Amino acid sequence: METLALETSLHRVLGGATAQALQRAFEYETVKDLLWHLPRRYVRRGELTALCDLPLNEHVTITGQILDVQRREMTRRGGSLLNVRVTDGTGFITLTFFNQAWREGELVPGRQGQFAGKVKTYQGQLQLQNPDYQLFTQEQVSASGVDAQAMQRAEALAFSRVITPVYAATAKIPSWVIASSIKTVLDHLPVQPDKIPAWVRKTAAVCEFDAALRGVHMPQSQSDIKRARASLRFREAFELQLSLVARARNTAAQFTDARKAVSGGYLSAFDAQLPFQLTADQVTVGEKLQTALALNSPMAKLLQGEVGSGKTVVALRAMLQVADNDGQSVLLAPTEVLAGQHLLSVQQLLGDELSCKLRPVLITGSMSAAQLKAALLEVVSGRSKIVIGTHALFNDRVAFYDLGLIVIDEQHRFGVDQRETLRQKGKNPHLLAMTATPIPRTVALTAFGELEVVTLRQLPANRPPIRSFAVHIQENPELNVRAWQKAREEIVAGRQVYVVCPAIEGAEQDDPLSVSGAVKRPRASVYDIEAGLKSRADYAGVRIDVLTGQLETAEKERVMREFAAGEIDLLVATTVVEVGVNVPNATVMIIVEADRFGVSQLHQLRGRIGRGEHASICLLLTEADRTSKAWQRVEAVACTSDGFALAEIDLEQRREGDILGTAQSGAKATLKLLRVLFDGEVIFQARALAEQLLEADPELTTAPGLRAELVTVAAKAAGITKT
Ligand code: ADP
Ligand code: MG
């Protein structure tokens, strides 16, 4: 066989059927793809799978011992049914085979093996129907769908080793075929050079790449596994950090116009008329931004701050500093509602005089051609110093006179490439990304590692607290009744109410992406709840309206405007009210079927109240079982108002991929081994070493392999930008 490299196509190494199966099942094309398919776990021969923990309806590979075998002729259907009971010593699972009576010859009681299939229940018993299997013997096993040669190899392999890796597999390609394919590849792969310089490896105390690769797939001992995984995990962290640090350095090395603070300008005027005192955090962060904007090197910061911590004011003050230098700023928001809301609050904060001078302007996808044309002219002429908009801003037609600062609200809703698109509209403009979802430092370093994090921890002092309660509507029906009474009382007292529902129309299907553990039933919908409230005698006279993402833009705007103006008392809405909506007079939020939402989402929603002078209350209604994760989520939100603590709980319940989402930058789309929440030390060390390496050797001449990788990443990023 030819000498293999990581880039070699799998078709040249493996049998055509196997290569194709790997392609179909996992989209693996190359040797490298396959080698990064890491074992999910390992079993020792003789070590049995705990059958009591098997997940239903999932594809599993189990190790067990055959207990007994029973054959039945099926008189009505014809044919035969073979039931093979397998045990781990504590539980049982039955393998069923139709018309494969010959298997009786090899599936004899006492034999051990691996069995792979989807876990079902039949009459209360666990079953694998027509599973693939591999018995721990020398005999040839010819299981359906797997080529015989691979089986033989795999079998020999399983026997030659004490520890057998178990891979994520599918019905078409069982774990042991993957193991044997990987063995074939590793047998022909020459020793792989290590891209990471020896001194970095030594400091991190990790083994060489080649040893790690072989150790993770074909370990001889537990310590092999540990060492291999630690090495691969560090590599993942290091390569990711290297690309992030390199990107940050590249940005910092670019030239941009300095926007120094001036006295007697817009910013001074603004500060002089501000109706409140800035919090200490706002002052500190403000000073950091002031200094950064005054440099010729583009700022790249992530401002994280609790809902209501006053990020907008901080961002606006930075914009004013840029405007004092004749530069323009753009504020990007994820939804039209939010963009519109931002325009309103910017205008309000600026007051008439400054608004006249700075001409804040809105750009969204739903503007009429004439409106858009006028707005674009304001922007390209440089007359408007503050431009607020949605995705519509990415359009080529949006051109600036002198874009000095990009502010991105709710930045996790946008990708790195979109951020780049905006950057191209100025000469290396400064960047301020904002997020109200507090993120732990490890996550920030991983997902937004090219940005420096600044934080607003305090809320403005005048905020009355929000009281929150989880209400179990079946166990405490009287509290449910009380919740709706309370809402009405507040309305009578002149306040306003949000009611948030998980769905728009009745009887919507559960969406498959909704939070796991949610109660399975049709979701409560905006229109059903609206109808229900309108028919209540005690709500007669209450002005009720709805807001959902499906409404026409003009209608959305009308509703938001009327709610903001106090012309609507009670707003039944979906999560469109989640971010940024600012109506200080709203003091009650009732979240219907709160268990349908994630922890951070609930916290965000709750942030819509408690924004004014009146005490507020958030009622989280749920029917979730008190022992369920769903109830725990709801209760966690009710019990704490610390967004940072809630973010951690949220992370524990989700996969990293969801967290990093589109915002994840760097080389890899998915992390294989690195767990951002738990591998803090690895991440911090990788970060420090990446910085050290780039500081000592900015061109990476001592690490050509790493440089090549960075160039590929950069080229990919550039490719995205152009589209
Ligand atoms: P968020 O961080 O959620 O975006 P906002 O910037 O929307 O928060 O601020 C929420 C509200 O608090 C706004 O009405 C804003 O004007 C007000 N606010 C901001 N800073 C202060 C402060 N230092 N003192 C009092 N109110 C403030
Ligand atoms: Mg905001």
Side-chain angles (χ1 to χ4, degrees):
M1 195 180 294
E2 63 178 314
T3 325
L4 290 192
L6 292 178
E7 294 71 37
T8 307
S9 158
L10 285 173
H11 276 278
R12 306 174 74 152
V13 202
L14 305 171
T18 313
Q20 197 172 27
L22 286 167
Q23 211 278 333
R24 290 236 173 101
F26 305 109
E27 298 182 0
Y28 292 162
E29 306 279 357
T30 64
V31 163
K32 186 178 177 183
D33 293 340
L34 179 61
L35 290 180
W36 273 105
H37 191 79
L38 302 180
R40 239 188 205 171
R41 59 194 171 87
Y42 301 84
V43 291
R44 283 173 179 287
R45 191 138 53 84
E47 183 182 54
L48 306 178
T49 308
L51 294 176
C52 49
D53 299 337
L54 282 185
L56 268 186
N57 293 316
E58 269 181 41
H59 196 92
V60 299
T61 300
I62 61 161
T63 311
Q65 183 167 36
I66 297 174
L67 189 68
D68 52 38
V69 180
Q70 201 191 50
R71 187 167 121 193
R72 269 184 28 215
E73 300 306 324
M74 295 190 292
T75 37
R76 239 193 301 148
R77 273 179 62 181
S80 72
L81 176 68
L82 201 62
N83 280 323
V84 179
R85 270 205 308 165
V86 169
T87 179
D88 66 338
T90 62
F92 305 100
I93 190 162
T94 304
L95 320 178
T96 59
F97 298 93
F98 294 99
N99 287 335
Q100 295 167 59
W102 56 269
R103 292 191 190 276
E104 227 176 334
E106 59 186 30
L107 294 170
V108 291
R111 299 270 306 262
Q112 290 192 354
Q114 287 192 310
F115 308 90
K118 206 182 227 182
V119 184
K120 303 266 182 204
T121 50
Y122 179 71
Q123 298 185 343
Q125 297 195 324
L126 292 177
Q127 268 199 355
L128 297 181
Q129 288 168 5
N130 287 321
D132 281 315
Y133 59 86
Q134 177 203 31
L135 296 173
F136 292 152
T137 72
Q138 306 287 18
E139 290 166 40
Q140 188 194 338
V141 179
S142 66
S144 53
V146 176
D147 78 75
Q149 213 193 340
M151 281 303 301
Q152 253 174 334
R153 269 201 314 269
E155 206 182 25
L157 186 71
F159 250 84
S160 66
R161 261 191 278 118
V162 191
I163 299 175
T164 308
V166 179
Y167 293 93
T170 70
K172 289 273 159 51
I173 182 147
S175 171
W176 51 89
V177 174
I178 296 174
S180 96
S181 305
I182 288 177
K183 177 170 168 23
T184 306
V185 166
L186 284 177
D187 283 349
H188 293 88
L189 189 73
V191 173
Q192 291 298 298
D194 205 315
K195 285 186 273 189
I196 299 184
W199 69 266
V200 173
R201 264 187 345 248
K202 213 167 145 209
T203 315
V206 295
C207 71
E208 290 198 28
F209 179 57
D210 193 78
L213 206 50
R214 291 173 206 274
V216 80
H217 290 295
M218 304 166 69
Q220 302 298 319
S221 65
Q222 288 297 333
S223 69
D224 277 1
I225 298 174
K226 231 177 129 183
R227 199 169 44 224
R229 289 174 68 91
S231 177
L232 293 178
R233 186 180 296 121
F234 172 77
R235 275 155 209 285
E236 250 186 334
F238 184 75
E239 286 181 20
L240 186 57
Q241 290 304 330
L242 195 70
S243 73
L244 293 168
V245 175
R247 194 192 303 230
R249 290 176 64 99
N250 281 343
T251 307
Q254 289 164 351
F255 180 88
T256 192
D257 289 330
R259 317 280 180 170
K260 293 198 167 54
V262 300
S263 59
Y266 300 126
L267 180 55
S268 314
F270 177 81
D271 283 349
Q273 71 177 40
L274 203 58
F276 47 72
Q277 228 186 342
L278 295 175
T279 65
D281 278 354
Q282 283 173 321
V283 172
T284 315
V285 170
E287 282 166 359
K288 282 188 189 162
L289 300 188
Q290 191 167 72
T291 313
L293 291 171
L295 300 178
N296 283 119
S297 151
M299 171 176 97
K301 291 203 195 301
L302 174 64
L303 172 59
Q304 65 169 345
E306 273 282 2
V307 178
S309 59
K311 295 182 291 296
T312 315
V313 180
V314 171
L316 185 55
R317 292 184 70 246
M319 295 185 197
L320 293 174
Q321 184 172 334
V322 172
D324 276 334
N325 291 270
D326 287 330
Q328 294 170 287
S329 298
V330 64
L331 170 54
L332 172 66
T335 63
E336 296 206 358
V337 170
L338 193 49
Q341 186 87 41
H342 271 309
L343 180 70
L344 277 181
S345 42
V346 163
Q347 283 168 337
Q348 251 165 35
L349 284 164
L350 288 176
D352 290 344
E353 208 181 314
L354 280 175
S355 287
C356 268
K357 290 181 179 156
L358 295 162
R359 306 171 74 98
V361 69
L362 191 66
I363 292 188
T364 68
S366 63
M367 294 168 83
S368 73
Q371 280 174 322
L372 183 64
K373 200 170 158 202
L376 290 176
L377 193 63
E378 284 283 293
V379 180
V380 75
S381 64
R383 275 199 297 272
S384 168
K385 295 288 185 261
I386 297 175
V387 182
I388 298 168
T390 56
H391 294 74
L393 289 167
F394 301 138
N395 194 293
D396 281 343
R397 289 176 62 199
V398 182
F400 292 81
Y401 181 73
D402 176 17
L403 177 58
L405 170 65
I406 298 171
V407 179
I408 303 184
D409 198 17
E410 297 300 323
Q411 63 86 42
H412 59 279
R413 303 269 186 113
F414 300 95
V416 174
D417 47 333
Q418 294 179 315
R419 199 193 290 164
E420 275 310 309
T421 307
L422 273 188
R423 274 170 100 101
Q424 303 296 327
K425 295 182 187 280
K427 285 175 291 174
N428 302 320
H430 296 289
L431 171 76
L432 178 65
M434 306 201 288
T435 176
T437 316
I439 33 184
R441 203 162 102 74
T442 51
V443 180
L445 265 188
T446 312
F448 321 113
E450 75 276 36
L451 305 176
E452 194 206 333
V453 177
V454 288
T455 306
L456 298 178
R457 259 176 205 277
Q458 301 163 309
L459 297 185
N462 59 349
R463 288 289 145 71
I466 305 171
R467 287 177 306 145
S468 302
F469 301 97
V471 175
H472 200 286
I473 65 176
Q474 268 144 359
E475 289 174 24
N476 302 99
E478 72 288 354
L479 288 182
N480 183 32
V481 171
R482 185 71 198 106
W484 298 100
Q485 281 171 355
K486 173 73 184 168
R488 202 195 48 122
E489 287 164 16
E490 286 284 305
I491 291 167
V492 170
R495 307 284 86 77
Q496 288 161 279
V497 173
Y498 290 103
V499 175
V500 181
C501 306
I504 298 175
E505 311 259 19
E508 269 176 59
Q509 289 297 307
D510 239 334
D511 88 72
L513 297 176
S514 74
V515 183
S516 64
V519 181
K520 293 270 179 287
R521 63 189 127 78
R523 295 180 290 166
S525 77
V526 167
Y527 289 105
D528 287 350
I529 297 282
E530 183 206 16
L533 288 175
K534 282 189 167 161
S535 67
R536 283 173 71 126
D538 59 340
Y539 272 66
V542 174
R543 294 164 299 176
I544 299 174
D545 216 326
V546 301
L547 183 69
T548 76
Q550 277 180 11
L551 296 180
E552 296 281 317
T553 305
E555 176 67 358
K556 265 188 241 170
E557 277 169 4
R558 176 194 65 78
V559 174
M560 269 328 296
R561 198 175 50 241
E562 291 184 12
F563 191 63
E567 291 157 12
I568 295 170
D569 299 314
L570 186 150
L571 188 61
V572 189
T574 57
T575 52
V576 288
V577 297
E578 182 184 342
V579 279
V581 175
N582 189 19
V583 180
N585 189 47
T587 55
V588 178
M589 175 169 285
I590 296 181
I591 304 181
V592 183
E593 296 184 350
D595 51 284
R596 306 265 192 200
F597 303 95
V599 167
S600 289
Q601 208 176 14
L602 289 172
H603 182 60
Q604 294 271 322
L605 285 168
R606 176 170 59 184
R608 299 306 108 218
I609 54 172
R611 299 173 80 89
E613 57 194 295
H614 304 284
S616 293
I617 184 166
C618 178
L619 299 158
L620 303 145
L621 310 187
T622 175
E623 292 177 33
D625 196 86
R626 267 186 205 269
T627 56
S628 66
K629 279 231 157 76
W631 170 264
Q632 285 169 18
R633 277 201 303 271
V634 175
E635 199 171 41
V637 176
C639 292
T640 175
S641 57
D642 179 350
F644 284 85
L646 291 173
E648 304 249 346
I649 295 172
D650 207 15
L651 284 174
E652 283 163 24
Q653 301 207 353
R654 287 154 57 184
R655 292 201 356 261
E656 266 81 7
D658 305 335
I659 301 152
L660 301 181
T662 51
Q664 186 188 358
S665 46
K668 295 200 179 63
T670 53
L671 295 173
K672 296 273 189 182
L673 278 176
L674 198 65
R675 291 292 167 261
V676 286
L677 200 57
F678 305 108
D679 295 329
E681 266 172 51
V682 179
I683 293 170
F684 295 138
Q685 184 176 45
R687 176 79 173 191
L689 285 166
E691 277 168 357
Q692 222 175 311
L693 174 60
L694 283 168
E695 192 60 44
D697 179 11
E699 296 299 317
L700 294 177
T701 40
T702 58
L706 289 175
R707 188 181 52 200
E709 194 132 311
L710 281 193
V711 171
T712 323
V713 174
K716 268 193 202 146
I720 297 169
T721 319
K722 296 225 178 62
T723 54

